[in-house]
């Protein structure tokens, strides 16, 4: 993620003196005033009060979802005072609600919930909050902010936006450039957001036209089938934006079977397979836009801070924020070594 640096400017002695005089004349601060400080300790790596965190997520039937569980478990193991109560995971909303209720009855200190369906799990989130158990809502957001203390997740609109800008910059000098889009599941809000971000980015590049779009299902098989249809319909393209690296495995198979290599491909999420291909630089895939499963590790950190009544290190506020949106970085061969350790299977 880009870092912002602060650089001081060196002026002459007379300018410094004038600035000092101006401050002395105009300041309303008491002479010996001290800057505000956070009297509540911020969370750090040192062992603190024991905290039991309940974790409930959907079934890990996708590489990204499995990486969510892995990140949550490994982060919890980092802290000797944290006990993680993790459910089996289910895509059945009734089953997941039952799992969360079990964690509530166990009186865990904090809950981290990645709902299979945010709207359907809202009521059980409210139940936990009313029982005095703060909830960290992970990724798929509840229908009411009263159902969680903090939300942490990815930026679906930002994924599409950054993918579009990357493709736009690569094709900036090409007249009448043609782009195709391999989306996810169209009835999901996240797919709509990714497509909207992509469309908005392309508005900055009048030389580029989105000529075709297919919605796949986040699976290898659907990615291969839908990509084959796109390639059959479009005899020449310049770029492909694929929403998901899992379905991208199938898309690459279709591309190789068709013997096509005249375009660049940008993936989504940050799977290790995509990153390995980017590093090898021997296929059409040149970038992937992250949707980091490390958000689960961040959720554990925030849950631990909540359980220990601590703030966040580096922030002046005494409480953790109500929301944290992660940045969708574009990973290319230029920065692949930095991001490769975060790639998931």
């Amino acid at each position: 993620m880009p870092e912002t640096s602060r650089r001081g400017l060196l002026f002459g002695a007379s300018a410094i003196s004038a600035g000092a005089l101006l401050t002395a004349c105009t300041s309303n601060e008491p002479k010996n005033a001290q800057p505000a400080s956070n009297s509540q300790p911020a969370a750090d790596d040192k062992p603190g009060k024991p905290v039991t965190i309940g974790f409930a997520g959907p079934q890990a039937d996708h590489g990204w979802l499995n990486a969510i569980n892995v990140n949550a478990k490994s982060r919890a193991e980092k802290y000797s005072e944290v006990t993680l109560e993790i459910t089996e995971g289910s895509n059945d909303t009734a089953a997941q609600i039952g799992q969360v209720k079990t964690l509530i009855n166990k009186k865990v200190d904090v809950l981290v919930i990645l709902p299979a369906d945010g709207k359907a799990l809202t009521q059980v989130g409210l139940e936990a909050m009313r029982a005095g158990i703060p909830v960290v809502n992970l990724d798929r957001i509840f229908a009411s902010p009263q159902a969680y203390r903090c939300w942490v997740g990815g930026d679906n609109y930002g994924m599409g936006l950054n993918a579009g800008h990357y493709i736009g910059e690569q094709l900036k000098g090409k007249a009448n450039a043609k782009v195709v889009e391999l989306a996810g599941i169209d009835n999901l809000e996240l797919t709509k957001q990714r497509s909207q971000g992509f469309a908005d980015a392309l508005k900055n590049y009048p030389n580029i036209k989105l000529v075709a779009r297919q919605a796949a299902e986040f699976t290898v098989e659907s990615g291969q089938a839908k990509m084959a249809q796109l390639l059959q319909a479009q005899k020449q393209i310049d770029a492909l934006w694929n929403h998901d690296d899992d379905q991208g495995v199938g898309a690459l198979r279709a591309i190789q079977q068709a013997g096509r290599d005249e375009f660049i491909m940008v993936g989504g999420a940050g799977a290790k397979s995509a990153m390995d291909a980017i590093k090898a630089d021997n296929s059409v895939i040149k970038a992937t836009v992250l949707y980091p499963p490390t958000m689960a590790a961040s959720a554990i950190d925030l849950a631990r801070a909540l359980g220990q009544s601590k703030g966040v290190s580096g922030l002046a506020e005494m409480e953790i924020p109500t929301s944290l949106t992660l940045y969708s970085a574009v990973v290319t061969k230029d920065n692949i070594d930095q991001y490769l350790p975060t790639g998931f299977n």
Side-chain angles (χ1 to χ4, degrees), residues 29-89:
E29 294 290 332
K31 185 175 180 180
N32 296 319
Q34 297 294 320
S37 63
N38 186 348
S39 59
Q40 182 166 309
D44 55 33
D45 288 347
K46 298 176 182 177
K49 184 180 79 172
V51 178
T52 299
I53 300 172
F55 184 92
Q59 184 178 342
D61 55 0
H62 182 278
W64 185 85
L65 288 170
N66 182 64
I68 284 286
N69 288 343
V70 170
N71 273 273
K73 290 176 183 176
S74 61
R75 196 64 160 198
E77 290 169 358
K78 175 183 174 182
Y79 305 115
S80 60
E81 79 277 26
V82 169
T83 300
L84 187 67
E85 292 271 357
I86 190 165
T87 65
E88 185 176 339

Side-chain angles (χ1 to χ4, degrees), residues 210-221:
L210 179 65
V211 295
R213 182 183 183 277
Q214 283 280 3
E217 299 173 5
F218 293 138
T219 68
V220 174
E221 294 75 19

Side-chain angles (χ1 to χ4, degrees), residues 167-244:
I167 288 174
E169 290 303 307
Q170 303 307 303
L171 302 180
K172 187 183 286 186
K174 186 173 181 60
N176 302 315
K178 298 178 180 179
V179 176
V180 297
E181 180 180 1
L182 188 64
I185 302 172
D186 263 346
N187 64 358
L188 294 181
E189 186 62 28
L190 66 90
T191 299
K192 297 172 186 176
Q193 291 169 353
R194 292 179 188 184
S195 288
Q196 187 62 58
F198 189 61
D200 287 350
L202 292 187
K203 291 175 184 176
N204 295 285
Y205 305 94
N207 63 307
I208 299 175
K209 182 180 180 181
L210 179 65
V211 295
R213 182 183 183 277
Q214 283 280 3
E217 299 173 5
F218 293 138
T219 68
V220 174
E221 294 75 19
S222 62
Q224 184 171 353
K226 297 298 183 179
M227 191 68 225
Q229 292 176 23
L230 282 172
L231 292 172
Q232 188 172 13
Q234 304 296 323
K235 300 308 179 185
Q236 192 278 326
I237 59 175
D238 297 292
L240 159 68
W241 154 229
N242 165 53
H243 286 207
D244 175 73

Side-chain angles (χ1 to χ4, degrees), residues 55-58 64-65 68 96 112-117 121 136-140 142 295:
F55 184 92
W64 185 85
L65 288 170
I68 284 286
Q96 193 179 23
V112 176
I113 305 173
L114 198 167
D117 182 318
L121 269 288
V136 178
N137 180 195
L138 183 57
D139 195 44
R140 299 171 188 169
F142 292 139
M295 65 177 69

Side-chain angles (χ1 to χ4, degrees), residues 5-340:
S5 59
R6 297 181 180 178
R7 297 180 175 88
L9 299 178
L10 183 62
F11 295 95
S14 59
I16 295 173
S17 298
L21 285 172
L22 183 63
T23 301
C25 293
T26 60
S27 175
N28 293 319
E29 294 290 332
K31 185 175 180 180
N32 296 319
Q34 297 294 320
S37 63
N38 186 348
S39 59
Q40 182 166 309
D44 55 33
D45 288 347
K46 298 176 182 177
K49 184 180 79 172
V51 178
T52 299
I53 300 172
F55 184 92
Q59 184 178 342
D61 55 0
H62 182 278
W64 185 85
L65 288 170
N66 182 64
I68 284 286
N69 288 343
V70 170
N71 273 273
K73 290 176 183 176
S74 61
R75 196 64 160 198
E77 290 169 358
K78 175 183 174 182
Y79 305 115
S80 60
E81 79 277 26
V82 169
T83 300
L84 187 67
E85 292 271 357
I86 190 165
T87 65
E88 185 176 339
S90 175
N91 291 329
D92 180 89
T93 55
Q96 193 179 23
I97 288 169
Q99 292 169 347
V100 174
K101 285 180 177 288
T102 297
L103 292 171
I104 293 172
N105 292 335
K106 286 185 175 182
K107 298 185 176 359
V108 296
D109 298 304
V110 190
L111 270 169
V112 176
I113 305 173
L114 198 167
D117 182 318
K119 184 177 180 181
L121 269 288
T122 298
Q123 285 301 317
V124 79
L126 285 166
E127 183 180 331
M129 291 288 286
R130 289 167 182 156
I133 301 173
V135 174
V136 178
N137 180 195
L138 183 57
D139 195 44
R140 299 171 188 169
I141 197 164
F142 292 139
S144 169
Q146 295 184 69
Y148 59 88
R149 166 59 183 81
C150 174
W151 174 86
V152 55
D155 185 358
N156 286 294
Y157 178 85
M159 278 185 77
L161 193 72
N162 291 348
H165 280 305
Y166 175 80
I167 288 174
E169 290 303 307
Q170 303 307 303
L171 302 180
K172 187 183 286 186
K174 186 173 181 60
N176 302 315
K178 298 178 180 179
V179 176
V180 297
E181 180 180 1
L182 188 64
I185 302 172
D186 263 346
N187 64 358
L188 294 181
E189 186 62 28
L190 66 90
T191 299
K192 297 172 186 176
Q193 291 169 353
R194 292 179 188 184
S195 288
Q196 187 62 58
F198 189 61
D200 287 350
L202 292 187
K203 291 175 184 176
N204 295 285
Y205 305 94
N207 63 307
I208 299 175
K209 182 180 180 181
L210 179 65
V211 295
R213 182 183 183 277
Q214 283 280 3
E217 299 173 5
F218 293 138
T219 68
V220 174
E221 294 75 19
S222 62
Q224 184 171 353
K226 297 298 183 179
M227 191 68 225
Q229 292 176 23
L230 282 172
L231 292 172
Q232 188 172 13
Q234 304 296 323
K235 300 308 179 185
Q236 192 278 326
I237 59 175
D238 297 292
L240 159 68
W241 154 229
N242 165 53
H243 286 207
D244 175 73
D245 285 333
D246 269 26
Q247 68 185 27
V249 172
L252 276 172
R253 286 180 188 169
I255 292 165
Q256 290 161 357
Q257 288 171 356
R260 300 279 291 270
D261 63 359
E262 80 277 9
F263 57 91
I264 61 171
M265 174 178 171
V266 177
K272 189 175 184 299
S273 61
M275 292 195 187
D276 286 342
I278 292 166
K279 188 175 178 67
D281 197 21
N282 58 5
S283 70
V284 295
I285 185 165
K286 302 301 178 184
T288 185
V289 187
L290 297 188
Y291 197 80
T294 51
M295 65 177 69
S298 297
I300 295 297
D301 284 343
L302 292 168
R304 175 176 175 259
L306 279 169
Q308 296 176 343
S309 301
K310 293 181 177 180
V312 176
S313 179
L315 296 182
E317 289 73 26
M318 291 190 289
E319 300 285 349
I320 71 166
T322 55
S323 66
L324 179 63
T325 303
L326 306 185
Y327 182 68
S328 295
V330 179
V331 179
T332 68
K333 64 179 181 180
D334 295 329
N335 61 6
I336 186 67
D337 289 334
Q338 177 184 350
Y339 290 102
L340 193 56

